[in-house]
Amino acid sequence: MSASPRPDIASILARSRAIPVLVIEHLEDAVPLAKALCQGGLPVLEVTLRTDVAEDSIAAISEGVPEAIVGAGTILTVSDITAAERAGSRFLVSPGAGPALLEAIAECRTPFLPGIATPSEAMTLLERGIEHMKFFPAEAAGGVSMLRSIGGPLPGLRFCPTGGITPANASDYLALENVLCVGGSWMAPAKLVRAKRWNDIAALAREAAAL
Ligand code: 3PG
């Protein structure tokens, strides 16, 4: 049992209608990328733990871009939680949650957004008092109609769908009562990051922030 109330993932998700999901390949890109996204109006950033520089990138953004709320994505194991917290992550995101991760989430002091793709997975989280979830992989797992259907029997749940979200379908998700925000990689495409086209990324962020 935790000693004090868990910080609130809902208040972080409420800060932005769209959360960039970032795969940072080079540490030198972390700060300018985060600055561009923040300038475009997207302050909540998920840095996936999929590259060797992910943790250092989170630390660099925390230090160098105070307007950013930087979290860690692709949390798969208990040791990922430790590493992400050590780097200064303000929130944590997982694509799903097995038994060991569920236990760790219950003890975790950092706001956590675990992923689900089915009603049963959502109910497993709900049994543990978790009402805010990532819906992943959103398009492949049934998209807007799946989330609308889940909202029937489970109206109290709130989602951040991620996986296959684009400027073309984001508004359909955001129109759902049970969707607080969407996540995706489209605001920071690898091609633009590699070319260090920060102004173009800021422009994509502006469009996403206006959704
Ligand atoms: C991911 O975990 O990779 C995110 O869901 C991003 O998915 P996307 O690249 O389809 O936006």
Side-chain angles (χ1 to χ4, degrees):
M1 182 67 86
S2 307
S4 58
R6 178 195 295 274
D8 194 357
I9 188 72
S11 61
I12 293 174
L13 299 180
R15 294 288 300 272
S16 192
R17 296 284 271 171
I19 299 178
V21 176
L22 306 175
V23 181
I24 300 179
E25 296 171 338
H26 302 289
L27 181 56
E28 67 191 23
D29 293 336
V31 165
L33 174 59
K35 282 185 176 167
L37 292 164
C38 287
Q39 276 164 16
L42 300 180
V44 182
L45 310 176
E46 177 188 329
V47 176
T48 59
L49 299 187
R50 293 183 207 169
T51 66
D52 290 344
V53 300
E55 290 160 44
D56 286 344
S57 296
I58 290 167
I61 294 168
S62 301
E63 170 87 15
V65 193
E67 64 272 36
I69 301 166
V70 60
T74 320
I75 298 285
L76 304 180
T77 64
V78 178
S79 58
D80 287 340
I81 295 178
T82 311
E85 288 181 325
R86 195 187 318 120
S89 304
R90 305 260 300 270
F91 65 98
L92 306 173
V93 184
S94 69
L101 197 59
L102 277 175
E103 288 301 321
I105 291 171
E107 297 300 321
C108 183
R109 304 307 311 142
T110 306
F112 208 111
L113 187 73
I116 64 104
T118 68
S120 290
E121 291 166 5
M123 289 166 68
T124 299
L125 295 185
L126 187 57
E127 282 170 6
R128 292 173 174 263
I130 298 170
E131 296 182 333
H132 293 82
M133 305 170 192
K134 166 169 165 157
F135 176 55
F136 176 82
E139 280 291 286
V144 167
S145 60
M146 175 71 153
L147 272 180
R148 189 184 292 114
S149 298
I150 289 177
L154 299 165
L157 303 186
R158 292 294 176 267
F159 295 97
C160 173
T162 315
I165 313 291
T166 67
N169 61 19
S171 299
D172 294 336
Y173 282 96
L174 289 166
L176 296 175
E177 203 173 323
N178 57 359
V179 169
L180 293 178
C181 57
V182 296
S185 61
W186 83 89
M187 317 79 149
K191 206 172 153 189
L192 291 188
V193 176
R194 287 184 191 132
K196 304 191 189 305
R197 286 167 57 182
W198 311 127
N199 288 341
D200 291 344
I201 289 172
L204 288 175
R206 260 189 294 282
E207 287 172 18
L211 281 167

